[in-house]
Amino acid sequence: DPKIIQKPKYLVAVTGSEKILICEQYLGHNAMYWYRQSAKKPLEFMFSYSYQKLMDNQTASSRFQPQSSKKNHLDLQITALKPDDSATYFCASSQDGTANERLFFGHGTKLSVL
Amino acid sequence: QQQVRQSPQSLTVWEGGTTVLTCSYEDSTFNYFPWYQQFPGEGPALLISILSVSDKKEDGRFTTFFNKREKKLSLHIIDSQPGDSATYFCAASAGGSNAKLTFGKGTKLSVKS
């Protein structure tokens, strides 16, 4: 059984719309992350949360907003979608969010913006 | 500016052969270097990692080498198997209280039988 659940697996959106990507982890971890993987770029760090507090934000745009309602949830709200936002978004978790920890990744949500 | 460079972009080897993937980096504060393996339709999964205080780490058929002076690392896979066909990413982090990883673009490996 997958320990990190991302929903939906595939998502098609219209330019200018808003979507929420869901992530739940059942590993008992205290840190969660979002990474983005687009066709021509390396896997890119977006956000990290530890104990439900934002630790690091490397996303330049405020259109991307993480939302943590529970310790094992970290959703990603994306507003005013653009075609450049098309990518696979990976949620990940680790024990505490400290250095050198193993990251566990979900299977990703593939977002296509038309 | 790409902080972690990975080569080759793709590679095909015969079953039983040795695969060598390489990475270089620029940031001298990087001190932790994991390699992640990704199969199609899945998320990356940790394969092996090394700290900058070491120059070699082995795990079964997988060995990673680290050269601090040259800011390079490599992943060697001996006795490559078709099941090793995947995309391999090297990554790096600077440690401290931040677990943020900087990834290379990946190497797509195909092992033919």
Side-chain angles (χ1 to χ4, degrees):
Chain A
D1 290 337
K3 301 297 186 183
I4 299 181
I5 297 173
Q6 289 190 242
K7 299 175 187 176
K9 190 168 184 179
Y10 301 98
L11 187 56
V12 179
V14 175
T15 297
S17 66
E18 172 183 315
K19 293 293 180 186
I20 296 179
L21 281 57
I22 306 295
C23 179
E24 305 170 311
Q25 57 92 2
Y26 296 94
L27 293 163
H29 288 165
N30 298 304
M32 296 186 71
Y33 312 81
W34 279 101
Y35 281 79
R36 173 170 53 193
Q37 187 175 46
S38 51
K40 298 180 179 179
K41 295 183 180 180
L43 199 64
E44 297 175 285
F45 171 87
M46 299 180 73
F47 300 97
S48 63
Y49 267 66
S50 181
Y51 295 91
Q52 290 189 269
K53 293 184 180 179
L54 179 67
M55 300 299 290
D56 196 357
N57 175 359
Q58 294 291 319
T59 303
S61 174
S62 60
R63 297 185 300 107
F64 295 85
Q65 290 293 327
Q67 300 171 342
S68 180
S69 59
K70 300 180 187 178
K71 191 179 86 168
N72 69 327
H73 282 235
L74 186 65
D75 301 335
L76 181 64
Q77 180 186 40
I78 313 174
T79 58
L81 279 160
K82 303 177 180 181
D84 274 354
D85 298 331
S86 297
T88 299
Y89 291 81
F90 288 100
C91 175
S93 70
S94 68
Q95 187 60 52
D96 292 305
T98 54
N100 311 340
E101 284 186 338
R102 175 179 180 176
L103 262 59
F104 293 79
F105 285 84
H107 284 200
T109 291
K110 186 173 183 178
L111 172 65
S112 298
V113 182
L114 307 177
Chain B
Q1 185 185 15
Q2 191 178 342
Q3 292 199 52
V4 177
R5 289 191 173 84
Q6 196 168 345
S7 63
Q9 188 174 353
S10 63
L11 179 64
T12 299
V13 301
W14 289 105
E15 182 176 0
T18 298
T19 297
V20 181
L21 312 179
T22 62
C23 274
S24 63
Y25 65 96
E26 297 171 5
D27 189 335
S28 299
T29 65
F30 287 156
N31 61 8
Y32 170 65
F33 303 90
W35 289 87
Y36 279 79
Q37 179 188 54
Q38 184 180 28
F39 295 104
E42 298 183 8
L46 180 67
L47 184 65
I48 191 170
S49 63
I50 191 167
L51 293 170
S52 59
V53 293
S54 302
D55 56 14
K56 176 183 176 181
K57 188 171 181 183
E58 223 173 305
D59 185 357
R61 296 186 294 109
F62 301 90
T63 302
T64 184
F65 295 89
F66 176 70
N67 185 320
K68 189 171 185 176
R69 183 179 61 83
E70 295 187 7
K71 293 183 181 176
K72 289 183 178 178
L73 59 155
S74 63
L75 176 68
H76 293 230
I77 308 172
I78 62 171
D79 189 25
S80 300
Q81 299 296 309
D84 296 333
S85 297
T87 299
Y88 293 80
F89 296 94
C90 64
S93 76
S97 61
N98 194 336
K100 169 194 153 186
L101 289 175
T102 299
F103 282 83
K105 286 188 175 182
T107 295
K108 187 174 183 179
L109 172 66
S110 177
V111 181
K112 293 191 179 297
S113 57

